[in-house]
């Protein structure tokens, strides 16, 4: 998917998640993408492995009859001709498909490292994190 500016990747990300469109979502990721995620696995290497995770994620949302809206807050971006660095807060808010009643939301911290390939920006590395409660060892999803 062609995109003109690094910030366009965030818009495609939001739209693809809302539409639960696996191919659109994967189109903004590099073939050799490397992801450190908060969910389940320590890391994910390569688009094939990431595809499996994304399909599972979107299938779960669909099975539950949910849509997911993504909001990016406090976006900070540094961009050169070939690489860009983005960090921000990402809010994932789940709604029912039928009534769009809000069910829940969580916030994570994200860092994206983008690179320009054939004129388009793609995510080469993604790192999501959240603070940990040192007494319980559990993630603190609801600080904001």
């Amino acid at each position: 998917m062609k995109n003109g500016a690094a910030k366009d990747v965030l818009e495609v990300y939001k739209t693809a998640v809302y539409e639960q469109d696996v191919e659109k979502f994967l189109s903004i990721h590099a073939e050799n993408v490397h992801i450190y995620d908060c969910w389940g696995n320590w890391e994910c290497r390569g688009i094939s492995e990431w595809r499996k995770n994304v399909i599972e994620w979107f299938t779960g949302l669909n099975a539950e009859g949910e849509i997911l809206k993504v909001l990016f807050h406090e976006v900070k971006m540094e961009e050169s001709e070939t690489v860009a660095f983005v960090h921000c807060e990402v809010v994932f808010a789940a709604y029912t498909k039928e009534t769009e009643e809000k069910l829940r939301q969580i916030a994570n911290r994200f860092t994206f490292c983008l690179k320009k390939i054939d004129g388009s920006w793609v995510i080469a590395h993604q790192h999501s994190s959240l603070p940990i409660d040192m007494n319980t060892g559990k993630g603190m999803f609801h600080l904001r």
Side-chain angles (χ1 to χ4, degrees):
M1 173 169 289
K2 287 286 184 193
N3 51 63
K7 67 180 181 175
D8 295 341
V9 170
L10 299 182
E11 291 304 313
V12 174
Y13 188 106
K14 288 185 342 185
T15 302
V17 170
Y18 182 81
E19 295 171 354
Q20 297 174 19
D21 186 329
V22 173
E23 296 310 316
K24 183 184 284 186
F25 188 79
L26 294 174
S27 75
I28 56 169
H29 293 81
E31 285 292 318
N32 61 346
V33 66
H34 190 180
I35 296 172
Y36 292 136
D37 205 358
C38 290
W39 307 104
N41 297 323
W42 181 262
E43 68 183 340
C44 177
R45 290 181 179 261
I47 200 74
S48 295
E49 190 176 335
W50 189 225
R51 176 184 297 280
K52 292 175 194 169
N53 289 317
V54 172
I55 289 170
E56 183 179 319
W57 180 27
F58 290 174
T59 300
L61 289 170
N62 195 37
E64 296 295 323
E66 297 176 359
I67 55 173
L68 197 60
K69 295 181 182 180
V70 178
L71 302 168
F72 293 101
H73 298 293
E74 300 179 30
V75 176
K76 304 292 184 227
M77 183 177 295
E78 293 287 329
E79 182 179 334
S80 74
E81 290 294 314
T82 57
V83 295
F85 173 80
V86 182
H87 61 93
C88 55
E89 174 192 9
V90 182
V91 175
F92 296 94
Y95 297 81
T96 62
K97 276 187 181 177
E98 288 185 16
T99 64
E100 290 208 25
E101 173 190 349
K102 189 174 186 178
L103 303 170
R104 65 189 169 281
Q105 80 174 33
I106 60 169
N108 290 54
R109 302 175 298 197
F110 269 57
T111 302
F112 297 103
C113 298
L114 308 176
K115 63 182 177 180
K116 192 177 273 189
I117 298 176
D118 296 329
S120 289
W121 289 101
V122 292
I123 299 168
H125 180 73
Q126 173 183 310
H127 189 138
S128 65
S129 67
L130 56 145
I132 301 295
D133 181 316
M134 297 307 281
N135 294 319
T136 65
K138 295 184 179 184
M140 300 166 63
F141 286 95
H142 303 288
L143 291 181
R144 295 201 181 211

